[in-house]
């Protein structure tokens, strides 16, 4: 029971926070007050709220009230020794851009309320001041990324600094839930719970399809933790920039830039705009196209993606905040909850590929509590109109994608163990109990744990004779420690789970760095070749080690880098919504605009439905082509196409080539091959799936390539030391390939080999989704058609099959000519 004086202090503290809200023109929402009460009662939980609804102050308000009450009672850290840690709140964020924005927001609230707190930022681009404050525990609030938090735990003094922690906030938890960064964070949170059991943990998340599981992964020790999700739903308006009337056949990328004049009109009528693309290459192209017709000062148009130098990204972000920048062309680097209240127009180029991504990007416009989200979609091909209509329906029905959490990522666990061995050492039995307290390693077996300990001590059975793999020792007290300074330095340089795709620095010959592009792109260039990067046309001068030296080039003709992973697959939820929209009522403007194309598809073949599997067999000059439309996304279709090719060749020996997109896949046979319903059912059979995948795909070679990332995370590939030449992608792949071969021959049961095979099936091929798709397709009514020519659905797949052919013609010219011929044939 609190005393009367303390109760008055609590009321005064609450009044101070409410008065500040009122001064900002706000009123605390019910969900914000609810989270504050949970925090003050020492309860952890998960807050699910739309972007722009006030989640930052919902999570931080409890800490502010706690500080105000302690300040009023004269107990706000007064009287502590100067060397004592002042750390109260850890704010974990997945993006550096988000860290900068969050630091400003938290500092503004603290200063306005008169709390004597310091906010520091600990990310890869933190200042030396902030790094010092973080290392010494001399900031009350520390905004930090998962990798930097793990790095802090590698220093012995950090454990003592964390013991007085009051709370941890994990921002944008849904972005970490389904990847290895989230696994690493689970492990560090388990360590924090053991050091500071009194600290509360709150996750902040946008809406996802598996909220209860998201809570269980974040808070495995609190299965009954509150799930606060009664924030007011933010209205979303999705508008579409319609293509010209009369267009029938579509292929990826043939629209888009053709609508640039209309896009410019929209930007001209807005105060500030963000134009989102799905890939970095697309962002570079659109920035160059807009710059060519930009009538305002060049500095009012900016570019923002993850390969750009930090200073360039920060300049674009600050320009959005203070109104100097009128438009930013961006990728997912600006997806998350960075607050830009001045933005009143968001454009999406092409399909968002997922419902959650669409909501995130729409949330960047009018980013203020209670303001509606608006997004203007610009199709890059005609069939994306269906995706926009389907996305609008899915949002209305609240059908949001789930994020699947990873389990038993032993490379991440190995890295974490080395971190703790550096940070003062660990006792294996106690750490095992702590690790099993996470969702990711709840099923960790004794044999797997023994394998991890053996791996970090001497590399495993086959590598025991190599000193470079001897990283930990057990001292007289039974603690596992790192005693070698070289091991310590190498480990701290390689902490984290983000693996680069052979990035090469791009730097002016006399000047600053611009960022990085993939080594494979630079390797194809010769000196004096031009390419587009960082919103500039550059000329390659020379390549030295892992740096490409460039100078500014005159003219506009230039190639654009193609980053790995550029083709984002359609989500399962949006794929199902598209399939339903194609044959459903045409009550959306996009579907009405697409009516001539859909009618043509229905006349020459059929429209897909949720109850049928549409298959088309078409004879072209290239041979017989089988088109199958499961609407399961590019990743699943890759596996299905390989599986169909193997099974069909067994049935009737032949040579097949295939191509895929998000709607389906096509197999083209070298010699004529009859197609009937019985054959299709045989190809769809769900039995012997794994055996057929093993026979039809080179899983060993895929595992070899996957092993490189695993070996890097686990610390088997030592990083380049400061000042030394960076190793190339080819050198890294050769090193990891040699390790893979040695382990496969001499230690085939090595824990990381098994993980590589598992990740190929789970991550690269998504075997579970493949099996589910096969079963779903086999259970549907087969709708087999033999159209006389390509249909609107089959034409984009046919275009993919000719993309890689040698020709003196540009691919887009060949496809455009074919489209014109088809349109003429159909009148």
């Amino acid at each position: 029971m609190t005393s009367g004086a303390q109760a008055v202090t609590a009321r005064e503290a609450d009044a101070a926070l409410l008065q500040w809200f009122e001064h900002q023109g706000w009123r605390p929402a019910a969900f914000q007050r609810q989270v504050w009460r949970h925090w003050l009662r020492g309860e952890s939980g998960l807050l699910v709220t739309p972007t722009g609804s006030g989640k930052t102050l919902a999570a931080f308000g409890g800490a502010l009230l706690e500080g105000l009450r302690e300040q009023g009672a004269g107990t706000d850290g007064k009287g502590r020794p100067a060397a004592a840690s002042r750390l109260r709140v850890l704010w974990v964020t997945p993006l550096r851009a988000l860290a900068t924005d969050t630091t400003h927001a938290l500092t503004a609230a603290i200063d306005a309320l008169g709390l004597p707190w310091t906010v520091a930022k600990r990310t890869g681009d933190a200042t030396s001041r902030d790094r010092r404050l973080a290392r010494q525990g001399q900031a009350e609030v520390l905004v930090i990324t998962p990798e930097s938090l793990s790095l802090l735990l590698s220093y012995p003094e950090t454990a003592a600094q964390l013991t007085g922690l009051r709370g941890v906030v994990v921002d944008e938890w849904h972005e970490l839930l389904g990847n290895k960064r989230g696994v690493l964070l689970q492990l560090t949170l388990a360590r924090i719970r053991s050091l500071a059991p009194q600290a509360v943990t709150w996750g902040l998340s946008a809406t996802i399809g598996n909220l209860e599981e998201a809570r269980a992964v974040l808070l495995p020790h609190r299965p009954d933790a509150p799930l606060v999700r009664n924030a007011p739903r933010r209205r979303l308006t999705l508008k579409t920039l319609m293509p010209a009337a009369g267009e029938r056949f579509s292929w990826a990328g043939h629209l888009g830039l053709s609508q640039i004049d209309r896009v410019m009109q929209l930007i001209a009528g807005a105060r500030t705009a963000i134009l989102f693309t799905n890939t970095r290459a697309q962002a570079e192209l659109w920035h160059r196209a807009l710059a060519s017709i930009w009538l305002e000062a060049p500095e009012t148009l900016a570019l923002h993606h993850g390969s750009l130098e930090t200073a360039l990204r920060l300049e674009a972000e600050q320009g959005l905040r203070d109104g100097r920048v009128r438009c930013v062309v961006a990728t997912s680097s600006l997806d998350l909850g960075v607050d830009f209240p001045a933005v009143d127009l968001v454009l999406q180029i092409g399909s968002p590929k997922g419902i959650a991504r669409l909501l995130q990007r729409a949330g960047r416009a009018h980013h203020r509590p209670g303001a509606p989200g608006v997004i203007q979609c610009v199709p890059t091909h005609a069939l994306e109109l269906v995706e926009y209509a389907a996305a609008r329906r899915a949002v209305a029905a609240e059908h949001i994608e789930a994020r699947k959490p990873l389990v038993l990522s032993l490379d991440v666990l190995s890295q974490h163990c080395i971190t703790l061995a550096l940070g003062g050492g660990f006792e294996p039995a106690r750490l095992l109990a702590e690790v099993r307290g996470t969702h990711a390693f709840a099923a960790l077996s004794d044999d797997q744990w023994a394998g991890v300990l053996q791996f970090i001590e001497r590399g495993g059975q086959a590598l025991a004779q190599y000193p470079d793999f001897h990283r930990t020792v057990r001292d007289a007290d039974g603690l596992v420690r790192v005693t070698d300074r070289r091991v310590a330095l190498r480990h701290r340089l390689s902490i984290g789970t983000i693996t680069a795709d052979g990035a090469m620095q791009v730097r002016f010959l006399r000047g600053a760095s611009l960022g990085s592009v993939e080594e494979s792109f630079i390797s194809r260039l010769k000196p004096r070749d031009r390419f587009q990067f960082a919103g500039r046309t550059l000329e390659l001068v020379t390549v030295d080690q892992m740096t490409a030296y460039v100078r500014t080039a005159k003219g506009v003709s230039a190639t654009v880098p193609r980053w790995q992973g550029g083709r984002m697959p359609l989500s399962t939820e949006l794929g199902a919504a598209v399939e339903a929209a194609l044959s459903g009522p045409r009550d959306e403007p996009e579907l009405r605009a697409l009516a001539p194309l859909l009618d043509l598809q229905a006349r020459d073949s059929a429209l897909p439905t949720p109850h049928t599997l549409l298959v088309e067999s078409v004879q072209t000059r290239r041979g017989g082509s089988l088109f199958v439309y499961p609407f399961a996304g590019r990743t699943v279709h890759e596996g299905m196409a390989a599986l169909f090719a193997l099974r069909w060749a067994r049935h009737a020996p032949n040579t097949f080539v295939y191509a895929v997109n998000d709607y389906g896949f096509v197999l083209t046979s070298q010699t004529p091959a009859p197609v009937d319903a019985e054959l299709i059912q045989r190809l769809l059979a769900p039995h012997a799936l794994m055996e057929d995948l093993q026979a039809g795909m080179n899983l060993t070679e895929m595992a070899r390539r996957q092993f490189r990332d695993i070996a890097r995370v686990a610390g088997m590939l030592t990083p380049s030391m400061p000042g030394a030449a960076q190793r190339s992608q080819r050198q890294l792949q050769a090193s990891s390939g040699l390790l893979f071969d040695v382990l496969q021959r001499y230690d085939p049961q090595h824990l990381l080999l098994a993980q590589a095979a598992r990740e190929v099936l789970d991550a690269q091929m998504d075997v579970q989704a493949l099996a589910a798709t096969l079963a779903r397709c086999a259970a549907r009514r087969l709708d087999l058609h033999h159209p006389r020519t390509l249909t609107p659905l089959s034409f984009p797949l046919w275009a993919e099959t000719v993309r890689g052919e040698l020709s003196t013609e540009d691919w887009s010219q060949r496809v455009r000519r074919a489209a014109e011929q088809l349109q003429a044939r159909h009148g």
Side-chain angles (χ1 to χ4, degrees), residues 688-715:
L689 173 60
M690 289 307 304
E691 293 85 347
D692 286 350
L693 286 176
Q694 290 278 1
M697 305 185 76
N698 191 347
L699 295 184
T700 299
E701 183 58 32
M702 294 173 70
R704 182 195 304 275
R705 301 193 68 83
Q706 186 71 18
F707 182 78
R708 180 184 68 86
D709 291 347
I710 292 172
R712 214 287 298 158
V713 171

Side-chain angles (χ1 to χ4, degrees), residues 266-293:
L266 289 173
I267 295 173
R271 179 174 50 171
T272 307
I274 299 178
L275 187 147
F276 279 112
T277 67
N278 289 339
T279 68
R280 299 173 187 182
Q282 197 177 27
E284 292 279 354
L285 284 168
W286 267 90
H287 182 271
R288 183 175 70 180
L290 286 172
S292 68
I293 58 174

Side-chain angles (χ1 to χ4, degrees), residues 39 80 88 94 189 236 263 267 350 431 514 531 601 642 734:
W39 182 291
R80 288 178 302 188
R88 299 175 62 99
L189 289 177
L236 172 65
V263 169
I267 295 173
L431 182 58
L514 294 173
F531 65 101
Q601 173 69 33

